[in-house]
Amino acid sequence: MLAIGFERMRQNAARLQIKFVESNRHRAELAENNLALSQEIRRREAIEADLQRQREALDKSNSELRIAAAAFNSQEGMIVTDTKGVVLSANRAFVGLTGYTIEELVGQTPRLFRSHRRDGEFYRSMWGSVQATGGWQGDMSLRTRSGENCARWLTISAVKNEAGEVTNYIGSYYDISKLKHAEEKIQELAFFDQLTGLPNRVLLIDRVRQAVNANIRSKSYGALLFIDLDNFKTLNDSLGHHMGDMLLKCAAQRLSHCVRADDTVARFGGDEFVVLLVNLGTQKAKAAALQAEAIGEKILAAFTEVFQFDAYEYPCTASVGVTLFSTDECNVDELLKRADLAMYDAKTAGRNGLRFFDPAMQTMITARAALETDLREDLKKERLLLHYQPQVDHEGRLLGAEALARWPHAHKGMISPSEFIPVAESTGLILPLGALMLKTACRQLARWSSDPATERLTIAINVSALQMRQKNFVEEVRAIIEQTGANPHRLKIELTESTLVSNVDDVIAKMGKLKAIGIGFSLDDFGTGYSALSYLKRLPLDQLKIDRSFVKDVLVDSNDAAIAQMIIALSRSLGLSVIAEGVETEEQYAFLARHGQLSYQGYLFGLPMPAEDFVSLARAFSPRHGLKRVRGSVNRASA
Ligand code: C2E
Ligand code: CA
Ligand code: CA
């Protein structure tokens, strides 16, 4: 019994043992399976994550692409270029803006539509910035196919690949025209007077400052004119502000017509205006003062005309104060104060006038004004006369005379033409003066024609550019010749080159008409002007007159000698005669005579003299009296 029990127990143990082993194996298998499973799960998870990432990346790049595409097709003009700047693509906005088709743009560089001409340095620095920082931005207007310019702000960005290399550039052109317009508007409000459109006080002060600095550099003169309307306040108060505004606007226009393009007319405030004159020359204060005065006078004249609104007339003259400025240190406030003070002076002196701040300038201007008044008076009374200076041929035979204006002034004695001719020229008095001198010369010719000693003599008369420019000059000369009975073949007109600076064709036409009735022409002061040889051929001239400045130094200055010889040679080739003026010595005469067959005029042959003396001289040297030559300082004393 016991043995049977033990055996069962052993068998059970063995079974249990087997089960244990089996279960252990099973567990191991199970564990193995578990591991594989979790590995598989992780792998799948990883794949899924990767797929997700890829999906996300794709989504992102898709949306980036969408954004890029949307941006590229935005309202702003854009282009894509390669690394050399050759256009690969342009958006619709760019095509629309420039008017070029895509086909025309692709393959071109931005040079096609650049509106600015900038120097190489600019582009070098632009590309330097693109290379260093990957971008650049700045003002870069576009020129459209039809040639219009559009204000644009250009942004250049470099596009790089993963390796960091630049593959393309994108250029975006932002519209800044509105901004520019606003900027201009602000400028206009800040620097211009809204009523008249003229520069305001702020801009004026800035321009004066610039002008003073520029003048210091160039050592030239400028001037400030302070202008105040004489009875504006009364008009404004009695007629109302609307009328006052109209008057100011008209005044602004009148002022603007009185100045040159470089000058500035500003509204200083109320009824005060300031004119800034620049570039009045580098020579003399006197010359600059005369120019400033001329413009000041023009302004006064512009205001002597009444203003007219709604069939009513409003007289409103102006008072002008002038101050010059040059290299002397002087600040803008001080200059304005001076001009203002001078204007005040003009007001107290009775309005409708002009005053200089500088007393010396004022003295000069006053003296000139007095001279002008006297000249006007004496011209009316025909008090000006002519003196006659002999002109002789190469053998010293008397040919005639140059008639030179003389002004015997009641208090100042004989006034030289170099003093009064410029005054006459700048005031227009040269016209009545020229007419009177022409009439005097023609009367003289008519008188001489009945005396055998003088009948063959000619008279040369100086005619100024202004006279020649008169519309009816030819008719006027014809009328004088008719009235006086002078022989036009004995009359010679001396023109200077200043006559020929404008409207040469008109001058040529007038000369032609006068030549047709027998009048001769001589070109005075030859060599001192801007003689363009091209027109010389076209002018119906008879004679060139070598200027006395060359004759003066013909023996000592080789340059002057060369010019004199050149003129002689030139006249020969043009078939013209030559006369040398200002011949004072035998040596000068001998030198000139060696170079050609000339005529002469100068102190060596006689000074300018009154008509009676000239007639006596002609009689004394008439061939009938056996004397052929006018020579030496014969009549020096009688001039
Ligand atoms: P211009 O036409 O060159 O006249 C010659 C000037 O040289 C005259 O001066 C004459 O007196 C001067 N002269 C003559 N011989 C000699 C000489 O040997 N040596 C020197 N140093 N000078 C000499 P004037 O009479 O003082 O006239 C000056 C200028 O005034 C003239 O220069 C002319 O441009 C102008 N002028 C004179 N009369 C008239 C006129 O009736 N009408 C116009 N438009 N201008 C005139
Ligand atoms: Ca002359
Ligand atoms: Ca001359």
Side-chain angles (χ1 to χ4, degrees):
M1 261 301 274
L2 203 69
I4 293 167
F6 185 75
E7 181 56 28
R8 259 189 215 149
M9 271 174 70
R10 198 194 54 81
Q11 281 175 1
N12 278 341
R15 239 176 273 133
L16 272 173
Q17 178 85 32
I18 291 166
K19 264 193 183 156
F20 179 74
V21 169
E22 274 180 351
S23 88
N24 261 359
R25 195 174 45 222
H26 192 69
R27 208 178 289 146
E29 269 172 17
L30 219 70
E32 217 170 276
N33 280 345
N34 271 348
L35 188 68
L37 195 70
S38 66
Q39 271 175 352
E40 179 60 24
I41 287 169
R42 245 176 289 152
R43 200 174 64 82
R44 290 201 175 185
E45 274 175 0
I47 289 171
E48 180 57 30
D50 200 32
L51 275 173
Q52 181 63 26
R53 261 199 305 278
Q54 283 185 25
R55 260 198 305 274
E56 277 173 15
L58 201 66
D59 271 359
K60 193 173 165 211
S61 74
N62 269 343
S63 75
E64 271 173 4
L65 270 176
R66 271 197 305 277
I67 292 168
F72 195 64
N73 280 315
S74 74
Q75 302 296 312
E76 308 300 345
M78 284 174 131
I79 52 167
V80 178
T81 74
D82 66 8
T83 50
K84 296 207 172 68
V86 175
V87 177
L88 302 175
S89 167
N91 69 355
R92 224 176 293 143
F94 194 85
V95 168
L97 173 69
T98 57
Y100 289 106
T101 63
I102 253 293
E103 291 75 21
E104 285 171 324
L105 289 166
V106 170
Q108 295 285 344
T109 66
R111 230 165 283 155
L112 179 69
F113 40 79
R114 249 176 222 157
S115 73
H116 295 299
R117 292 209 169 176
R118 283 165 159 160
D119 56 3
E121 184 47 44
F122 174 83
Y123 292 108
R124 265 194 295 283
S125 112
M126 180 175 107
W127 285 111
S129 154
V130 172
Q131 261 140 30
T133 65
W136 180 88
Q137 51 177 321
D139 209 347
M140 180 75 80
S141 293
L142 281 172
R143 198 187 52 240
T144 67
R145 196 174 203 281
S146 57
E148 254 173 83
N149 284 328
C150 321
R152 285 295 181 277
W153 184 262
L154 169 62
T155 307
I156 302 176
S157 338
V159 181
K160 292 180 182 168
N161 62 15
E162 285 107 38
E165 299 152 341
V166 173
T167 58
N168 298 86
Y169 293 109
I170 297 178
S172 315
Y173 292 84
Y174 295 98
D175 186 355
I176 49 168
S177 50
K178 280 203 188 102
L179 211 73
K180 284 238 151 150
H181 190 72
E183 199 178 287
E184 277 161 18
K185 191 76 204 156
I186 290 168
Q187 283 246 338
E188 198 187 299
L189 287 171
F191 298 122
F192 290 88
D193 171 51
Q194 293 305 293
L195 178 68
T196 59
L198 293 178
N200 65 12
R201 180 195 287 251
V202 179
L203 184 55
L204 172 81
I205 289 174
D206 187 58
R207 291 208 181 150
V208 176
R209 194 167 293 131
Q210 282 179 27
V212 169
N213 288 336
N215 283 11
I216 290 172
R217 278 196 302 278
S218 66
K219 296 193 170 63
S220 66
Y221 283 93
L224 272 187
L225 278 65
F226 207 106
I227 299 135
D228 188 280
L229 306 187
D230 286 334
N231 35 2
F232 178 76
K233 286 198 175 67
T234 334
L235 275 178
N236 200 34
D237 292 345
S238 56
L239 299 169
H241 289 205
H242 174 63
M243 276 297 168
D245 282 358
M246 300 247 288
L247 194 103
L248 288 172
K249 273 197 220 172
C250 285
Q253 277 167 8
R254 286 191 187 181
L255 283 173
S256 301
H257 286 140
C258 294
V259 302
R260 305 158 304 174
D262 291 350
D263 303 328
T264 299
V265 179
R267 183 167 175 215
F268 203 63
D271 62 338
E272 292 171 340
F273 296 87
V274 172
V275 169
L276 163 68
L277 303 178
V278 289
N279 302 329
L280 293 180
T282 49
Q283 299 94 23
K284 290 194 175 103
K286 241 177 154 181
L290 287 175
Q291 284 187 63
E293 193 225 358
I295 292 178
E297 288 291 345
K298 215 168 154 189
I299 290 172
L300 289 180
F303 281 84
T304 49
E305 210 174 291
V306 292
F307 289 85
Q308 194 151 18
F309 308 116
D310 303 337
Y312 289 101
E313 292 187 338
Y314 306 102
C316 186
T317 55
S319 295
V320 181
V322 188
T323 189
L324 289 184
F325 59 89
S326 65
T327 51
D328 324 336
E329 255 180 55
C330 188
N331 70 39
V332 176
D333 285 344
E334 177 62 27
L335 282 177
L336 282 165
K337 212 182 286 164
R338 288 180 180 184
D340 191 13
L341 274 172
M343 185 277 291
Y344 228 81
D345 241 18
K347 278 235 163 195
T348 36
R351 306 177 160 209
N352 188 20
L354 178 144
R355 272 281 182 286
F356 268 78
F357 172 79
D358 183 344
M361 290 302 150
Q362 186 55 45
T363 311
M364 191 260 299
I365 297 286
T366 312
R368 224 180 119 95
L371 201 71
E372 183 194 331
T373 314
D374 293 352
L375 183 60
R376 202 178 289 276
E377 268 314 295
D378 283 0
L379 273 175
K380 257 186 234 153
K381 295 176 187 150
E382 302 203 345
R383 284 202 176 135
L384 274 80
L385 43 93
L386 284 171
H387 276 189
Y388 299 85
Q389 184 175 30
Q391 294 189 333
V392 302
D393 74 1
H394 64 286
E395 293 191 311
R397 283 180 296 233
L398 189 63
L399 294 172
E402 177 179 6
L404 293 154
R406 292 292 178 266
W407 180 15
H409 189 275
H411 313 296
K412 295 182 183 140
M414 196 67 92
I415 300 181
S416 152
S418 359
E419 207 175 316
F420 67 82
I421 294 289
V423 175
E425 297 255 13
S426 70
T427 53
L429 285 177
I430 193 74
L431 301 181
L433 187 148
L436 176 62
M437 294 299 102
L438 193 64
K439 214 188 299 169
T440 312
C442 285
R443 278 188 198 131
Q444 197 59 258
L445 275 178
R447 230 169 277 147
W448 285 357
S449 66
S450 55
D451 182 338
T454 51
E455 64 183 352
R456 305 187 67 81
L457 299 180
T458 57
I459 293 184
I461 188 92
N462 295 286
V463 167
S464 113
L466 274 172
Q467 280 176 274
M468 202 62 187
R469 235 171 273 159
Q470 290 175 103
K471 246 203 190 121
N472 61 345
F473 181 68
V474 174
E475 289 69 36
E476 189 183 297
V477 176
R478 276 202 202 116
I480 290 174
I481 286 185
E482 248 166 61
Q483 279 164 25
T484 55
N487 178 356
H489 293 272
R490 302 269 176 272
L491 187 66
K492 186 163 68 179
I493 287 181
E494 289 195 8
L495 296 176
T496 58
E497 288 165 73
S498 61
T499 314
L500 309 166
V501 291
S502 70
N503 218 347
V504 185
D505 292 325
D506 177 55
V507 175
I508 292 175
K510 284 177 179 152
M511 286 172 78
K513 285 182 193 157
L514 293 169
K515 256 191 100 76
I517 58 168
I519 298 175
F521 283 93
S522 181
L523 194 55
D524 204 355
D525 305 342
F526 189 69
T528 58
Y530 307 95
S531 322
L533 297 179
S534 53
Y535 69 57
L536 213 52
K537 264 189 150 155
R538 298 174 51 213
L539 295 173
L541 286 169
D542 302 279
Q543 190 175 59
L544 294 183
K545 199 166 189 184
I546 305 178
D547 187 61
R548 65 176 178 281
S549 61
F550 304 119
V551 174
K552 184 168 160 267
D553 291 328
V554 85
L555 297 170
V556 286
D557 187 328
S558 57
N559 208 25
D560 286 349
I563 291 172
Q565 287 175 52
M566 188 276 287
I567 297 173
I568 296 166
L570 181 71
S571 62
R572 204 174 289 145
S573 73
L574 290 170
L576 305 175
S577 68
V578 189
I579 183 164
E581 70 174 350
V583 182
E584 296 182 358
T585 65
E586 290 285 353
E587 291 75 19
Q588 289 167 342
Y589 167 64
F591 177 92
L592 292 163
R594 267 206 305 280
H595 290 94
Q597 195 168 309
L598 281 63
S599 300
Y600 304 91
Q601 179 186 341
Y603 296 163
L604 181 64
F605 307 96
L607 283 142
M609 58 192 91
E612 316 80 79
D613 294 1
F614 189 82
V615 173
S616 326
L617 177 103
R619 286 201 185 118
F621 291 90
S622 151
R624 285 176 35 177
H625 291 77
L627 280 162
K628 286 207 171 85
R629 290 153 75 96
V630 179
R631 210 45 175 294
S633 51
V634 204
N635 266 288
R636 227 169 247 242
S638 64

